[in-house]
Amino acid sequence: MNGPQDLGGMHGFGPVVREENEPPFHAPWERRAFALTLAMGATGAWNLDMTRHARESLPPATYLAASYFEIWTRGLERLLVDRGLATADEIAAGRALAPPAPLPRGPLAAEKVAASLARGAPTDRAAAEEPRFAIGDRVRTKVMNPTGHTRLPRYARGKVGTVALHHGAHVFPDAHAHGAGEAPRHLYTIVFEGPELWGAEADPTIRVSIDAWDSYLDPA
């Protein structure tokens, strides 16, 4: 979707200021927000792509006024309410007001957190089709404006780039975020020249790499 998270090429937001030696968390509540999000993800009530879509579909005024982990928290609240695991009244009260709803899997025990994080959740899958593109091929991204989740940013739609890497087949987030199955498709890294993305006045030395699924691409 063309939501507030898709800021590439937008004006008026100022420079990205890098914080030297930035800590992972700037306040204790951020650590708790991170832990709650991972703990609920481990229950199987939703998948990673659903989590991303919940954040990006927040109202623009809410999203743009929030910090990074505030966005995580708002997205988690939306998922909890949408799945019937909490109510808006319970979130406002900060406590349960009714017996808990059942979860697909039990909670992630503290002693299993480190192993779970180290194991991760690989998204590579067997491919049902042969790859359409090879390294070095020139491709054009499709022009599209989906109302659901996508990983193809607006500024890179309808642009010509070169296949730099082929990663095999991976879970297709555009389907996965909406409960339509994993629908694995081939995934490529596409490299774009700066002027192709930003126009003739762009720095010609800029290169931008984007991971793009097969269905985002056509031969150039």
Side-chain angles (χ1 to χ4, degrees):
M1 63 183 297
N2 297 334
Q5 84 290 345
D6 199 351
L7 294 177
M10 299 287 285
H11 295 131
F13 289 93
V16 176
V17 179
R18 179 181 178 184
E19 181 180 344
E20 294 294 335
N21 302 313
E22 183 178 8
F25 308 103
H26 292 80
W29 74 265
E30 294 186 343
R31 187 186 300 272
R32 292 195 296 273
F34 179 75
L36 283 169
T37 301
L38 293 187
M40 284 306 304
T43 67
W46 48 76
N47 60 54
L48 176 61
D49 296 304
M50 292 173 178
T51 302
R52 288 174 170 149
H53 184 58
R55 296 172 195 155
E56 70 188 18
S57 57
L58 292 171
T62 299
Y63 188 100
L64 294 174
S67 68
Y68 182 75
F69 281 111
E70 284 175 334
I71 292 170
W72 276 47
T73 301
R74 298 300 183 198
L76 178 59
E77 289 173 350
R78 170 167 286 195
L79 288 166
L80 289 168
V81 172
D82 287 350
R83 300 304 190 280
L85 299 176
T87 66
D89 288 342
E90 288 177 315
I91 290 172
R95 60 186 178 86
L97 301 176
L103 293 167
R105 294 195 295 266
L108 180 63
E111 64 272 14
K112 296 182 179 179
V113 169
S116 177
L117 292 178
R119 183 170 60 254
T123 61
D124 53 313
R125 301 290 188 268
E129 301 174 349
E130 293 297 316
R132 291 196 298 147
F133 304 107
I135 292 174
D137 284 355
R138 298 281 284 170
V139 295
R140 183 184 298 275
T141 54
K142 293 181 178 178
V143 176
M144 58 183 192
N145 290 284
T147 57
H149 182 62
T150 186
R151 299 294 291 278
L152 182 63
R154 279 175 294 186
Y155 70 83
R157 297 174 192 169
K159 306 298 183 179
V160 174
T162 303
V163 177
L165 293 169
H166 174 227
H167 302 284
H170 285 254
V171 173
F172 185 46
D174 302 43
H176 203 218
H178 301 285
E182 294 188 337
R185 303 181 186 185
H186 288 277
L187 177 64
Y188 307 88
T189 296
I190 312 300
V191 177
F192 300 89
E193 305 291 331
E196 174 68 15
L197 296 177
W198 315 117
E201 67 278 10
D203 183 347
T205 66
I206 289 177
R207 305 287 186 277
V208 176
S209 296
I210 293 175
D211 286 342
W213 274 262
D214 183 274
S215 57
Y216 298 165
L217 305 171
D218 288 319

